[in-house]
Amino acid sequence: MPKTNKIAIFASGNGSNFEAIARACAENRLNAEVVLLVCDNPKAFVIQRAEKFNIPVFEFQPKNYASKADYEMEIVQLLKKYNIDLICLAGYMRLVSDVLLDEYEGKIINIHPSLLPDFKGLNAIQRAFESGVKVTGVTTHFVDKTLDGGKIIDQIEVPIENCTFEELETRIHTAEHELYIKTLAKFLII
Ligand code: GRF
């Protein structure tokens, strides 16, 4: 039976968060279905993950469009066609504009590998590791026009002490996969 809540995931890269969400849906740990991957990078590994779960992919290259508004208009049309309730950004390396926000503001969630508002932007795990702070973490938040700046939903702390950078990365990604599912569960219609 089709599930009530339809999710689109936007991703540009590896896709471990995509897979964590798709798996949680497939295993009925979330009352939702991932019905679309939106990907701006045809070489991204996340596309192979989507194929494994038989999830349709909208692949596009921003350079083939005259403007961000142009490709976002095409994306909005697709989101409507798929009756999307919730959009998850998971390593989507672009800011969204008014075209998407006018239709879906309050329904777009992002995950970021730091305790926001600290370490916004790229290489957040590395910058936290090198900064000397003892604790970093993971944040889920609503998306607005600013970089990692929307209203915070949930956070998990991840200790930095006594670990290498690679160990910290693993801890962060494990925490991300757990936190994204917990956050999504709050917004699904049961
Ligand atoms: C994650 O660290 C996420 O917090 C950030 O981009 C990374 C994506 O990882 N926004 P993956 O592609 O889901 O493995």
Side-chain angles (χ1 to χ4, degrees):
M1 209 175 80
K3 292 189 181 159
T4 320
N5 301 283
K6 298 198 185 310
I7 294 176
I9 301 180
F10 288 28
S12 308
N14 176 31
S16 70
N17 283 282
F18 169 90
E19 177 143 356
I21 297 167
R23 193 170 295 284
C25 293
E27 293 173 354
N28 291 317
R29 285 180 282 121
L30 284 176
N31 177 29
E33 193 181 352
V34 179
V35 294
L36 182 66
L37 167 67
V38 172
C39 181
D40 61 347
N41 171 12
K43 295 194 182 132
F45 185 61
V46 68
I47 293 172
Q48 290 180 45
R49 297 189 197 254
E51 285 164 359
K52 189 171 73 181
F53 283 87
N54 286 318
I55 293 169
V57 182
F58 174 62
E59 256 179 70
F60 71 103
Q61 295 200 60
K63 65 173 190 206
N64 296 336
Y65 293 79
S67 68
K68 185 186 284 250
D70 281 3
Y71 68 71
E72 284 197 353
M73 274 189 274
E74 198 168 324
I75 293 171
V76 166
Q77 278 176 7
L78 260 181
L79 297 172
K80 291 191 175 300
K81 182 176 142 200
Y82 280 91
N83 292 315
I84 296 300
D85 301 299
L86 207 55
I87 298 169
C88 300
L89 307 190
Y92 181 64
M93 304 302 284
R94 297 182 182 276
L95 290 175
V96 302
S97 81
D98 281 338
V99 175
L100 260 166
L101 288 168
D102 284 350
E103 297 285 344
Y104 290 98
E105 188 149 31
K107 295 179 177 175
I108 314 178
I109 295 171
N110 183 41
I111 189 153
H112 184 76
S114 76
L115 292 177
L116 289 173
D118 294 342
F119 306 109
K120 292 180 180 179
L122 291 175
N123 304 320
I125 306 174
Q126 187 166 356
R127 285 185 289 125
F129 185 75
E130 288 169 357
S131 74
V133 293
K134 293 188 167 56
V135 175
T136 182
V138 174
T139 303
T140 50
H141 64 92
F142 288 110
V143 170
D144 61 17
K145 261 189 282 190
T146 64
L147 177 66
D148 303 321
K151 186 171 179 286
I152 291 172
I153 304 168
D154 286 312
Q155 295 187 305
I156 303 187
E157 291 189 352
V158 175
I160 297 190
E161 282 175 302
N162 303 320
C163 71
T164 64
F165 173 65
E166 287 71 26
E167 285 164 345
L168 177 62
E169 268 190 320
T170 304
R171 285 182 196 172
I172 289 276
H173 291 310
T174 304
E176 285 184 330
H177 304 160
E178 187 188 318
L179 189 70
Y180 223 152
I181 308 305
K182 180 182 155 200
T183 294
L184 287 176
K186 291 184 180 174
F187 296 100
L188 300 179
I189 303 153
I190 308 285

